[in-house]
Amino acid sequence: MKTFPDLTQQLYNLILNPATRVWERQQLVKAKSSLNKRSATEVWSQLEYQLRPLAVRNNLTPDVADFYALLKHDEPAGKKFDLTIHQATDPAWQERAIFAGGCFWCLVEPFETRPGIKAVIAGYTGGVTTKPTYEQVSSQKTGHVEAVEIIYDKRLVNYQNLLELYWQLIDPTDATGQINDRGNNYRPVIFVRNQRQQQVAEASKLALINSQKFSKPIVVPIETATKFWPAENYHQQFYRKHPQRYHLIAQARQNYLRVLKFSGKIKQLFNKK
């Protein structure tokens, strides 16, 4: 469990955080004012009680949700994700791939658990706003999509391997979202970082089109990668922090994709006949 001084500093940071909603900030300011009048235990308990209705509905802003997890003594949920590898320069044997395909929660675990993957970071890209927040991206006014940056060891896995897995995780016939995630911020996109990735991605997409596995056209665009902004800590490795909720979301997505693939097989069968 975090010590009270750690919680106090985080409280101050959240009050100053522009992403904190007005009502959330009001509760945090009240708690801050009470720290000099009541015991810390009472203050944290009262704040947890005030935030609970939104927390149980998963409606707190990401950083406040992390803070709430610590108030509940759920350290795994509030654990800080190390972004050092994202910020560092890649050695010669390391490369990055950026894919968008609906909610980024469901793209992290399938890639991160594969051999050769050093890190998978949830984030935002493709838009114009600097340091976008989850709420800004969700408003669909910044041009960003939810995406993942995959940092991998080229000696153990290659870009083609990643593309093959990517196609299995999305509905490539849906240009305006993915499954239950609707809107431009959930559109599928392959973001390429160099000419070689461009060539491999185009060949991979053409191979999928020629396979005729889907009854509708393949509509995933291939775009030049722009600045990738890591998402809030709450969204990093969501499958580990919130396994039950992740399982329900991932299972629904997998069921949809199974039906989609079955429809494609039926089409292939009729085409052969």
Side-chain angles (χ1 to χ4, degrees):
M1 184 181 73
K2 291 287 185 180
T3 62
F4 289 148
D6 287 337
L7 288 177
T8 301
Q9 185 59 57
Q10 291 187 49
L11 177 71
Y12 294 162
N13 292 340
L14 284 174
I15 291 173
L16 298 174
N17 189 333
T20 302
R21 296 194 194 113
V22 173
W23 181 85
E24 293 172 333
R25 185 174 288 108
Q26 290 173 346
Q27 308 313 309
L28 298 171
V29 169
K30 288 179 183 177
K32 177 178 176 291
S33 301
S34 299
L35 282 172
N36 294 328
K37 304 171 185 177
R38 300 159 55 194
S39 72
T41 300
E42 291 178 321
V43 172
W44 301 135
S45 295
Q46 180 63 26
L47 181 57
E48 185 276 325
Y49 174 78
Q50 293 295 334
L51 297 176
R52 191 185 305 164
L54 290 183
V56 297
R57 296 199 296 271
N58 302 307
N59 200 26
L60 293 172
T61 50
D63 290 338
V64 177
D66 276 350
F67 184 75
Y68 180 80
L70 298 179
L71 290 175
K72 290 284 292 180
H73 309 317
D74 186 358
E75 287 202 15
K79 184 179 180 181
K80 289 295 181 182
F81 181 76
D82 186 1
L83 287 170
T84 302
I85 192 171
H86 165 76
Q87 299 159 348
T89 301
D90 292 324
W93 48 266
Q94 187 169 283
E95 194 169 76
R96 305 183 187 213
I98 300 176
F99 300 135
C103 178
F104 45 27
W105 292 346
C106 292
L107 293 182
V108 174
E109 185 264 346
F111 284 106
E112 190 172 73
T113 53
R114 294 298 175 103
I117 305 301
K118 306 297 292 184
V120 180
I121 301 163
Y124 315 114
T125 193
V128 296
T129 303
T130 300
K131 297 181 180 180
T133 66
Y134 179 75
E135 289 202 336
Q136 288 174 326
V137 174
S138 297
S139 73
Q140 301 184 46
K141 296 178 181 179
T142 69
H144 290 89
V145 292
E146 291 191 12
V148 290
E149 179 185 66
I150 304 162
I151 303 176
Y152 61 99
D153 186 334
K154 295 188 294 183
R155 299 167 299 185
L156 301 175
V157 63
N158 60 46
Y159 190 62
Q160 176 65 34
N161 299 147
L162 300 181
L163 283 165
E164 290 170 357
L165 177 56
Y166 171 72
W167 293 123
Q168 297 175 39
L169 301 175
I170 67 163
D171 175 0
T173 69
D174 187 350
T176 59
Q178 286 292 290
I179 303 91
N180 292 325
D181 304 318
R182 311 313 306 164
N184 287 333
N185 55 310
Y186 291 122
R187 68 187 186 277
V189 185
I190 297 172
F191 292 97
V192 293
R193 293 168 52 86
N194 51 52
Q195 186 176 6
R196 184 184 58 78
Q197 285 192 354
Q198 175 90 30
Q199 293 171 344
V200 175
E202 288 177 350
S204 180
K205 180 178 177 179
L206 181 60
L208 184 64
I209 293 172
N210 292 337
S211 73
Q212 298 185 340
K213 290 181 178 179
F214 294 90
S215 57
K216 297 179 182 179
I218 305 302
V219 295
V220 178
I222 299 171
E223 301 179 5
T224 301
T226 56
K227 176 70 175 179
F228 181 90
W229 301 97
E232 296 86 343
N233 183 75
Y234 175 80
H235 297 298
Q236 305 300 337
Q237 293 188 321
F238 187 87
Y239 76 99
R240 292 187 179 183
K241 298 177 183 177
H242 307 279
Q244 292 182 335
R245 186 178 172 199
Y246 168 76
H247 177 75
L248 292 174
I249 297 171
Q251 189 63 53
R253 184 176 175 122
Q254 290 166 8
N255 290 340
Y256 176 91
L257 293 176
R258 287 192 188 99
V259 172
L260 187 69
K261 291 173 183 176
F262 179 76
S263 299
K265 289 181 179 179
I266 295 297
K267 180 191 175 184
Q268 285 182 314
L269 181 61
F270 276 99
N271 287 341
K272 289 180 180 179
K273 289 185 179 181

